[in-house]
Amino acid sequence: MELDFECTDLSIWKEALSSYKSRIQSLNKPNLISLDQFYTHELPSLLRQRNPNPFITTAELSRLMQWKLTRGKWRPRLLDFVSSLDDSSVQSVSQKAFLSLPDISKAISELTVLKGVGAATASAVLAAYAPETAPFMSDEAMLAALGSSKDYSLKQYLLFVEKLKSKSKELSSMGDSFRPSDVERALWSSAVGVKLQSSQTAPDKKIKGSNKRKRKH
């Protein structure tokens, strides 16, 4: 059963979050495990090491885009755009964006001047550096929090951030810290779990259906 955004049971949210790694593995997508390791562990560490003036490089942004597209929908043109960006421009723009935080609107606007970087990719960049401030705008979390994943505007992202921050505050008040980015991963993990379950039961139904037809003949 998919996690309801309105759910107030912290244990259910924690269970969904703890399933995140196994969901990544279950998707069986090429390089996703190593890309997710890069995005969730290596990149945040690299960005923090660059404080007080953090930045992201073109190579790192390209890997982040690979992670985003592999975990979600594959759109190779976006990867081509990002991979060809001038490194000094990416470093300069991303530094301005990181230093704009906690003004999320300004930070997103700074990043989206880069070709191939929309609000969703910009949110992934910010989430790697400030998971407590800017969650990643994934389809699954957008659908759960706002009921739609079709509008990738800055305005929609700001609504999304407010919803996830509010849920984060509510869940954190019950005990352990539960960041907005944890809320996003829990929602993604739950939605992917439901999809995997339904895809596993569908072949069984087809087999049973074909057996019934055979018996009729």
Side-chain angles (χ1 to χ4, degrees):
M1 190 172 158
E2 197 163 342
L3 177 59
D4 186 340
F5 189 78
E6 301 305 323
C7 173
T8 56
D9 188 332
L10 179 60
S11 64
I12 293 174
W13 283 91
K14 281 176 132 179
E15 189 182 341
L17 182 60
S18 68
S19 301
Y20 177 81
K21 271 192 178 179
S22 65
R23 298 280 185 258
I24 288 285
Q25 291 165 351
S26 300
L27 285 173
N28 288 323
K29 289 189 176 182
N31 304 319
L32 181 56
I33 294 171
S34 61
L35 286 168
D36 194 70
Q37 174 68 20
F38 166 76
Y39 180 73
T40 58
H41 292 90
E42 293 163 31
L43 182 58
S45 177
L46 282 169
L47 295 175
R48 282 193 297 271
Q49 284 169 30
R50 292 170 187 156
N51 276 331
N53 296 301
F55 60 85
I56 194 169
T57 66
T58 299
E60 291 158 0
L61 182 59
S62 181
R63 280 203 82 189
L64 178 149
M65 182 65 90
Q66 279 182 276
W67 166 82
K68 175 182 173 280
L69 298 176
T70 306
R71 204 187 79 155
K73 292 173 188 167
W74 187 256
R75 296 169 68 196
R77 281 193 71 206
L78 288 181
L79 187 57
D80 290 342
F81 287 146
V82 166
S83 300
S84 61
L85 289 168
D86 175 69
D87 194 46
S88 61
S89 296
V90 171
Q91 290 189 32
S92 171
V93 164
S94 61
Q95 189 173 93
K96 282 181 194 171
F98 291 136
L99 295 177
S100 296
L101 292 170
D103 186 337
I104 293 175
S105 179
K106 190 178 177 192
I108 292 282
S109 297
E110 291 284 3
L111 287 165
T112 52
V113 300
L114 297 169
K115 190 172 184 180
V117 176
T121 302
S123 74
V125 173
L126 297 179
Y129 178 66
E132 69 291 338
T133 303
F136 170 51
M137 194 185 196
S138 66
D139 287 353
E140 294 78 6
M142 285 271 286
L143 195 57
L146 300 177
S148 171
S149 60
K150 292 189 170 118
D151 183 358
Y152 282 91
S153 63
L154 172 58
K155 184 181 174 185
Q156 193 76 347
Y157 179 60
L158 294 175
L159 286 173
F160 174 73
V161 169
E162 284 312 305
K163 289 273 281 187
L164 265 65
K165 276 189 174 178
S166 176
K167 179 56 70 175
S168 161
K169 194 174 177 182
E170 177 191 307
L171 295 172
S172 297
S173 71
M174 299 174 196
D176 299 341
S177 169
F178 212 89
R179 305 168 303 177
S181 286
D182 295 328
V183 174
E184 184 278 321
R185 277 181 200 152
L187 291 169
W188 181 88
S189 174
S190 173
V192 168
V194 170
K195 280 180 198 167
L196 288 167
Q197 207 169 23
S198 62
S199 67
Q200 285 163 1
T201 54
D204 291 342
K205 285 179 182 174
K206 283 181 184 175
I207 292 165
K208 284 175 185 174
S210 65
N211 287 341
K212 279 181 185 176
R213 284 194 294 274
K214 282 176 186 173
R215 282 200 289 273
K216 280 180 183 176
H217 295 307

